[in-house]
């Protein structure tokens, strides 16, 4: 088996149900599917596998190639579409390319996740700084309000003393 010689672990399935079971039980990095399966449509299976893991490349093949099938394969996001018979060299190159593409997608996701985590940390730090600034501003506002109240009391006393002084002088 050429895939085993290349170092790939291969899991086979003869039907859509069996394929779903394999995918549910195993870590599947790539799926090679026939469009016509005994119990279902390989394109529908491919679409559900892509939805479950958009980074997992799907290679579709069929002995009954038609333009409609090729369009559907492209629409759902299949990595490649082959008409049988296909050469092992083409398939091998496609599998290698698909797995490299998967690695690239995973690395991009990790990088974006790391960037988002950094941005989140920066925003959290900024929020903490703003909250601390708001706390300090609220304390200063209270202090100024108390000082203003104290000055108003003194102003009322001064006005009262001035009134008493005018009465006393008159």
């Amino acid at each position: 088996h050429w895939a085993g010689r290349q170092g790939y672990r291969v899991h086979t399935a003869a039907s859509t149900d069996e394929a779903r079971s394999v995918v549910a039980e195993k870590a599947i990095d790539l799926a090679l599917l026939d469009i016509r399966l005994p119990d279902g449509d390989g394109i529908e299976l491919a679409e559900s596998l892509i939805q479950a893991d958009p980074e997992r490349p799907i290679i579709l093949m069929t002995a009954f190639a038609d333009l409609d099938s090729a369009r559907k394969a492209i629409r759902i996001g299949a990595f490649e579409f082959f008409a049988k018979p296909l050469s092992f060299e083409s398939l091998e190159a496609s599998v290698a390319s698909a797995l490299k593409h998967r690695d690239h997608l995973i690395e991009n996701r990790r990088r974006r996740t790391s960037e988002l985590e950094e941005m989140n940390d920066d925003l959290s730090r900024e929020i903490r700084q703003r909250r601390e600034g708001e706390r300090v501003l609220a304390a200063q506002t209270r202090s100024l309000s108390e000082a203003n109240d104290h000055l108003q009391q003194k102003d009322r006393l001064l006005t009262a003393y001035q009134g008493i002084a005018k009465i006393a002088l008159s």
Side-chain angles (χ1 to χ4, degrees):
H1 204 281
W2 71 267
R5 288 191 308 271
Q6 296 299 319
Y8 303 131
R9 279 185 314 220
V10 177
H11 305 281
T12 60
S15 67
T16 58
D17 288 341
E18 198 175 327
R20 289 180 199 283
S21 294
V22 169
V23 169
E25 295 170 9
K26 311 280 185 193
I28 303 297
D29 294 332
L30 176 141
L32 175 61
L33 304 172
D34 199 321
I35 289 178
R36 292 194 180 177
L37 296 168
D39 65 340
D41 181 351
I43 290 180
E44 288 177 12
L45 174 60
E47 187 172 24
S48 70
L49 294 178
I50 290 168
Q51 288 173 353
D53 180 356
E55 294 167 347
R56 176 181 28 236
I58 306 294
I59 297 174
L60 290 166
M61 61 184 173
T62 185
F64 307 98
D66 60 57
L67 191 56
D68 188 47
S69 296
R71 282 186 184 136
K72 284 179 184 176
I74 291 168
R75 182 184 50 78
I76 66 165
F79 185 81
E80 189 126 21
F81 180 84
F82 286 105
K84 292 179 187 176
L86 61 135
S87 72
F88 284 115
E89 293 81 20
S90 296
L91 181 59
E92 189 174 8
S94 181
V95 166
S97 179
L99 291 173
K100 187 179 286 187
H101 179 71
R102 177 180 173 80
D103 290 344
H104 179 71
L105 291 175
I106 290 169
E107 182 56 36
N108 282 345
R109 178 180 40 82
R110 286 180 183 149
R111 190 181 71 252
R112 285 191 315 268
T113 299
S114 177
E115 290 169 357
L116 288 172
E117 286 171 351
E118 285 180 35
M119 290 171 64
N120 191 41
D121 290 346
D122 290 346
L123 288 171
S124 294
R125 191 171 24 264
E126 185 176 329
I127 288 169
R128 283 192 306 274
Q129 290 170 346
R130 287 183 181 204
R131 286 183 178 156
E132 178 61 20
E134 289 171 357
R135 189 190 63 72
V136 168
L137 185 59
Q140 290 174 343
T141 301
R142 280 191 306 276
S143 178
L144 287 173
S145 180
E146 290 169 5
N148 187 41
D149 289 347
H150 186 68
L151 285 173
Q152 285 179 354
Q153 286 175 350
K154 287 188 176 188
D155 187 49
R156 284 190 296 274
L157 282 174
L158 184 58
T159 302
Y161 289 143
Q162 286 174 345
I164 291 170
K166 280 186 187 176
I167 293 173
L169 290 175
S170 55

